[in-house]
Amino acid sequence: METPRKRRKKIIEDPQPSEDPVEDEKTESALQSDETPKEPKSLLKKKTKSKKPKPILQQVKSRKSATKIINEYHTFTKQLEQIKRDEQETGQSEELASKRKEIEKKMNQNGGIHTYQEASTFDYQFRKYSTDKWIVETMKQAEMVPEGKKKLKVLDVGSLANNFKKYPWMEVKAIDINPQDPSVEKMDFFDLDLDRFDGAFEVVILSLVINFVGDPLQRGRMLLHCNRLLQKNGHLFIVTPLACLNNSRYLNEEIFMEVMISLGFEKITSKNSKKLAFFSFRKMESVTSMQRSFHKDIVRPGSQRNNFCIVLLKDKETQ
């Protein structure tokens, strides 16, 4: 008895012309490629989809997609910081816990901090002017490069890949909450032991870092901590998106300068590129507590403004 399998093998070895010329072409093509014709899709069993949703990692394929990922991550971070402040003021609740869970879910679906950093690295290559290059050039112009075997003690915050390790005249302590290079220490800036590192550095670098911090009060604390970490006459480099200063509802460059002066810094130099603002400051005096407050006050009304601001409070003052 001729089985279906034998019959099929016979057809392939000695194909009979069909009434359908298209099917004849398919059979001939299969013979030429030493493959058997595939079963019609209608006869194949459909695979059942898993009911459990999987995180969808965004692929960084263009600068536009990189910008989208970066902006969304900053938005999620700010939303989580707001929930944290709400919990401190009103206590924990099911509503706030639910909001936190939903935001964290969206962050994970976008790939979390790993994808955010990939997007940041991808976007970096398109900048016409390197932030690292500007910082090094400014150091050289200020004659900060030490002579002989002495090295400049540098704290690079949010380092990611430790771009300053290639300079032999720098002794760099590079930190990041999610390092991408073995030479970068996994650490949150706010976990630094201020007693241990009091006046330990000649340079502190905050390159696209202060805008990453979601809480305006934490931004102020970060700048205050920088004063303590620096030696007298030490230098603080800040690079931030230009929009943080020229399109913020609560902050402009004039107020930013007042903030820095109140923190014991004087501006040495600054420049703007199309999208970034670059600043170099020198520490003139030690400041451990604030004598003046900077609140979240509107300086530029308008629906198209962003909400970036820096908050500093005097001692014993609560927000």
Side-chain angles (χ1 to χ4, degrees):
M1 181 176 177
E2 189 178 32
T3 64
R5 186 173 180 180
K6 289 182 179 178
R7 191 183 309 118
R8 184 176 177 187
K9 185 177 181 182
K10 183 178 179 182
I11 290 172
I12 295 172
E13 291 174 346
D14 185 22
Q16 299 296 321
S18 69
E19 294 180 1
D20 187 349
V22 176
E23 287 300 321
D24 284 341
E25 279 184 28
K26 290 179 180 178
T27 306
E28 180 65 21
S29 175
L31 288 170
Q32 291 174 356
S33 61
D34 294 327
E35 295 177 1
T36 57
K38 294 181 180 179
E39 294 293 335
K41 289 184 179 179
S42 59
L43 298 179
L44 297 175
K45 291 183 179 180
K46 293 183 177 179
K47 293 182 180 180
T48 56
K49 294 183 179 180
S50 175
K51 294 181 180 180
K52 187 178 179 180
K54 296 180 179 179
I56 302 172
L57 297 181
Q58 295 201 39
Q59 299 298 318
V60 185
K61 297 179 180 178
S62 66
R63 194 174 189 187
K64 184 177 180 181
S65 66
T67 301
K68 183 174 183 291
I69 293 168
I70 292 168
N71 290 342
E72 286 181 348
Y73 192 89
H74 285 170
T75 299
F76 293 144
T77 302
K78 291 171 186 175
Q79 289 172 347
L80 288 176
E81 289 289 351
Q82 182 60 54
I83 291 173
K84 184 178 178 180
R85 290 196 298 271
D86 291 343
E87 287 176 338
Q88 290 173 345
E89 292 175 4
T90 63
Q92 295 183 349
S93 66
E94 290 185 6
E95 182 182 359
L96 290 175
S98 176
K99 286 182 179 179
R100 179 190 294 279
K101 187 176 180 180
E102 183 62 28
I103 294 168
E104 289 173 345
K105 179 182 176 182
K106 290 178 180 177
M107 291 179 82
N108 289 331
Q109 287 176 335
N110 280 6
I113 190 170
H114 182 72
T115 302
Y116 165 80
Q117 290 181 325
E118 282 187 353
S120 299
T121 303
F122 184 89
D123 182 68
Y124 184 85
Q125 64 185 315
F126 291 97
R127 295 179 197 157
K128 292 183 178 179
Y129 200 88
S130 162
T131 56
D132 306 336
K133 181 181 177 182
W134 179 82
I135 290 169
V136 172
E137 286 180 353
T138 304
M139 286 179 176
K140 291 179 178 179
Q141 290 171 4
E143 299 181 347
M144 295 170 61
V145 180
E147 296 180 355
K149 294 183 179 180
K150 187 180 178 182
K151 294 188 177 184
L152 195 68
K153 294 181 180 179
V154 178
L155 173 64
D156 186 16
V157 184
S159 181
L160 193 63
N162 197 359
N163 292 332
F164 295 99
K165 66 181 177 182
K166 58 188 175 183
Y167 299 101
W169 45 273
M170 290 190 198
E171 181 185 317
V172 183
K173 181 178 177 64
I175 63 172
D176 196 286
I177 57 174
N178 189 42
Q180 301 296 303
D181 187 274
S183 64
V184 181
E185 186 177 353
K186 184 178 177 65
M187 178 183 286
D188 189 312
F189 173 84
F190 293 102
D191 291 334
L192 275 171
D193 187 336
L194 294 180
D195 291 328
R196 178 186 172 190
F197 293 106
D198 192 345
F201 301 101
E202 296 168 88
V203 174
V204 174
I205 299 170
L206 302 178
S207 180
L208 296 173
V209 170
I210 196 167
N211 55 291
F212 179 83
V213 179
D215 186 349
L217 194 57
Q218 285 290 79
R219 294 176 193 141
R221 287 175 183 155
M222 174 174 274
L223 295 174
L224 186 60
H225 288 351
C226 286
N227 179 285
R228 187 169 176 185
L229 292 166
L230 281 166
Q231 301 175 4
K232 188 174 180 180
N233 296 319
H235 287 73
L236 172 62
F237 290 91
I238 296 176
V239 182
T240 188
L242 187 58
C244 291
L245 298 177
N246 69 4
N247 194 42
S248 169
R249 188 174 285 106
Y250 305 106
L251 188 68
N252 55 30
E253 188 167 339
E254 181 182 352
I255 294 175
F256 180 57
M257 288 300 108
E258 291 178 11
V259 167
M260 298 308 294
I261 291 170
S262 72
L263 288 166
F265 292 100
E266 70 166 354
K267 187 179 80 170
I268 302 303
T269 186
S270 66
K271 75 179 290 292
N272 292 339
S273 67
K274 187 177 179 180
K275 292 189 176 182
L276 298 176
F278 302 75
F279 295 93
S280 170
F281 296 96
R282 180 187 289 122
K283 174 182 172 179
M284 301 306 295
E285 61 179 334
S286 295
V287 175
T288 56
S289 61
M290 294 304 301
Q291 303 303 314
R292 176 185 173 186
S293 293
F294 292 88
H295 296 103
K296 192 174 180 179
D297 299 322
I298 294 177
V299 294
R300 283 195 199 96
S303 60
Q304 300 303 313
R305 307 295 184 186
N306 65 64
N307 293 321
F308 183 84
C309 68
I310 297 171
V311 173
L312 286 163
L313 303 178
K314 290 192 294 187
D315 281 359
K316 299 180 182 179
E317 182 183 3
T318 57
Q319 193 175 18

